Amino acid sequence: MPDHSYRLATYVDGNATDGNAAPRAGLVVDSRIIDVAEALGDGRRQSAAAPAASSVLELLQRWDDVHPRLRGIARTARNDGATQRLRDLSSVTLLAPILFPGTIFCAGANYRDHVAEMSRALNLPEEPDPHAMGLKPWHFIKAAESCIRGPGARIALPAYSKCVDWEAEIAVVIGRECRNVAVEDALGYVAGATVVNDLSARDHLRRKGVAADSPFHFDWVSQKSFDGALPMGPWLCPLDEIEDLGNLAIRLWVNGELMQDSSSSNLIFSVAEQVAHLSSRLTLRPGDVIATGTPAGCGAARGRYLKSGDRVRVWVETVGEITNEFTGA
């Protein structure tokens, strides 16, 4: 690993359940963590020219300036292991890397293996490549603050659903404001990647009592935006530390049983295509999150869904992994 390599996290000292600790931005170097505001000096010197850096969102808002400085801090930390600012990662609790994202966009039907799996499960003909049909990426939006949960968080399954499904995904985070960007330039506006589990209440996609051909038939809030519907973490991996965003292994286990095992090489619309398309619709801003789609292996194809006591682990190559336990409502 290069000596400037790091991960950007949100943490609290000690146990997050005590309710007294304030979340802070932390720089993770191997198995240790440094408080970013202290390392940058912003904890002592704040001004319009050098605003606070106590949150990851604040860092993303000046990413072009901050990222090189964070690499320098990581390099110094590795070369001077005795620095007083370093603490063991085990002494803190990691939260979701971005507690209050701007907008969360989620790609639907964006892995070839997942689309093929669902077509078989529903006895439907094989879907053609959307590119050949002239189609664009397709996204929906999740509520930000209510849906986000961190690694290790216990998540209560929504009382109204009996069919909550898992969806392992790579999410990218915007680090530079952009509008109408070209596909070939799009990744230049991405700060990094994290891991998410895009939970779905499969039994609440459609509103009961509304005709199937009605334009008001779908209930995206109930299906996608319940409390805890987007576990995220454990940190943000800078994009320039990912060798090939389009070829990352992605896996998910439920109670130790491997359910999803794929690669981002199965993406239908690439991350760059997604960023470019969304930027043609509205301005993307630092802290916006794009969950890029899930591969085959979801519970819907098996008729199996999450229940109280289940533990779900999601891993993405290079980026990291998160584990969450699910409880009854």
Side-chain angles (χ1 to χ4, degrees):
M1 178 179 290
D3 65 355
H4 60 254
S5 178
Y6 73 90
R7 301 293 182 263
L8 189 57
T10 296
Y11 77 97
V12 292
D13 289 315
N15 190 335
T17 61
D18 62 19
N20 296 319
R24 305 277 294 178
L27 192 75
V28 178
V29 180
D30 303 325
S31 60
R32 300 175 295 176
I33 191 166
I34 308 168
D35 186 89
V36 172
E38 292 180 8
L40 290 174
D42 291 346
R44 298 182 298 274
R45 184 184 67 255
Q46 297 179 12
S47 67
S54 59
S55 77
V56 170
L57 183 57
E58 289 165 336
L59 296 170
L60 290 167
Q61 289 166 349
R62 50 191 177 113
W63 186 249
D64 287 344
D65 168 62
V66 166
H67 177 44
R69 296 173 66 189
L70 297 180
R71 295 178 72 172
I73 293 167
R75 180 181 293 110
T76 299
R78 282 196 172 86
N79 295 333
D80 180 16
T83 176
Q84 296 300 307
R85 288 196 295 259
L86 284 168
R87 286 177 286 170
D88 287 340
L89 198 55
S90 60
S91 69
V92 304
T93 297
L94 295 183
L95 308 178
I98 309 172
L99 296 178
F100 310 111
T103 304
I104 300 172
F105 303 94
C106 300
N110 198 43
Y111 269 73
R112 296 180 187 88
D113 53 355
H114 178 54
V115 171
E117 172 187 61
M118 294 308 296
S119 294
R120 291 192 299 269
L122 297 172
N123 294 315
L124 296 174
E126 183 177 345
E127 291 275 351
D129 185 340
H131 293 93
M133 301 173 65
L135 298 178
K136 300 295 184 182
W138 172 55
H139 295 83
F140 54 90
I141 292 175
K142 277 201 168 190
E145 185 174 348
S146 296
C147 291
I148 295 295
R149 295 293 185 273
R154 290 166 59 99
I155 298 172
L157 296 167
Y160 61 80
S161 176
K162 303 299 181 186
C163 300
V164 176
D165 202 351
W166 55 83
E167 295 185 22
E169 303 201 16
I170 300 165
V172 295
V173 180
I174 299 298
R176 294 172 58 203
E177 185 173 299
C178 61
R179 179 81 167 98
N180 289 323
V181 301
V183 172
E184 56 267 27
D185 299 325
L187 292 185
Y189 296 88
V190 173
T194 188
V195 182
V196 297
N197 187 354
D198 177 21
L199 299 171
S200 302
R202 300 288 190 196
D203 49 352
H204 282 272
L205 172 60
R206 297 173 175 83
R207 298 169 62 206
K208 293 181 180 179
V210 180
D213 59 354
S214 168
F216 310 111
H217 185 52
F218 295 101
D219 184 359
W220 288 102
V221 171
S222 295
Q223 190 202 17
K224 286 292 190 177
S225 284
F226 49 89
D227 285 345
L230 195 73
M232 174 190 291
W235 42 55
L236 180 70
C237 174
L239 189 66
D240 55 14
E241 296 195 19
I242 298 173
E243 184 175 347
D244 185 357
L245 191 57
N247 191 28
L248 295 177
I250 178 170
R251 298 184 184 119
L252 179 146
W253 296 260
V254 178
N255 300 326
E257 182 181 354
L258 183 63
M259 295 295 184
Q260 293 183 275
D261 185 4
S262 189
S263 164
S264 58
S265 62
N266 283 311
L267 280 167
I268 295 172
F269 292 102
S270 70
V271 175
E273 287 177 302
Q274 293 183 57
V275 172
H277 174 70
L278 287 169
S279 79
S280 75
R281 299 305 192 254
L282 76 172
T283 301
L284 299 177
R285 293 182 168 84
D288 286 346
V289 174
I290 304 172
T292 59
T294 196
C298 293
R302 299 177 168 89
R304 174 176 171 178
Y305 300 100
L306 292 172
K307 62 184 183 302
S308 181
D310 281 348
R311 288 178 60 84
V312 176
R313 178 162 67 101
V314 187
W315 171 84
V316 174
E317 180 183 4
T318 304
V319 180
E321 68 175 57
I322 58 170
T323 299
N324 296 95
E325 182 176 338
F326 293 85
T327 68

